[in-house]
Amino acid sequence: MGSKVRKDTRHKTQDTRRSSYEGLQKNIKKLNAPKIEVWKNQYPERDYVITIDIPEFTCICPKTGLPDFANITIKYIPDVYCIELKSLKYYEIFYRNAGIFHENVVNKFLDDLVKACHPRWMEISGEFNARGGIKTSVRAEYKNV
């Protein structure tokens, strides 16, 4: 008698889970967030680090529609321009109604801030509060080489 071949269903289950998120973030890079303004750095000859903390960041989980809370930290070495904080406040408030994954928050922040101020170096980190017993930390870095 021939042996029975057992069908491996693990990959199908993973694919099914993945497909439930399919398309939720495909246009995230095109998200039209408010413009981040800059001002001219008065000490461009010197490397110094600016740290900005956003301890009350909120966004929406694109899957559940529930709010997510985080501390976003921005660190950068400016070149010609520095980030104007009032415009940054309006920028981060924009995300309160945006359905966005944690990983995409940090990477979108990095893309938009680098585009605005062209720093020598920048790091964005997000420490997202635990939900369902899981805490997420995400870090992304830019180096102007």
Side-chain angles (χ1 to χ4, degrees), residues 54-96:
I54 304 170
E56 298 176 346
F57 177 83
T58 58
C59 62
I60 302 295
C61 173
K63 183 69 176 166
T64 65
L66 296 172
D68 283 323
F69 302 92
N71 182 45
I72 304 292
T73 301
I74 301 161
K75 294 181 181 180
Y76 71 105
I77 298 174
D79 193 7
V80 177
Y81 298 107
C82 296
I83 297 167
E84 192 277 320
L85 296 180
K86 184 177 179 182
S87 67
L88 181 62
K89 181 67 178 171
Y90 288 120
Y91 175 83
E92 69 97 1
I93 287 172
F94 167 81
Y95 287 92
R96 286 189 178 166

Side-chain angles (χ1 to χ4, degrees), residues 1-18:
M1 300 253 165
S3 65
K4 281 190 169 182
V5 176
R6 188 172 156 230
K7 186 176 179 183
D8 185 357
T9 59
R10 289 178 294 177
H11 297 292
K12 179 152 178 59
T13 302
Q14 289 174 352
D15 289 344
T16 302
R17 283 190 212 141
R18 228 180 301 138

Side-chain angles (χ1 to χ4, degrees), residues 128-136:
F128 290 83
N129 292 0
R131 179 129 61 90
I134 299 174
K135 181 180 185 317
T136 306

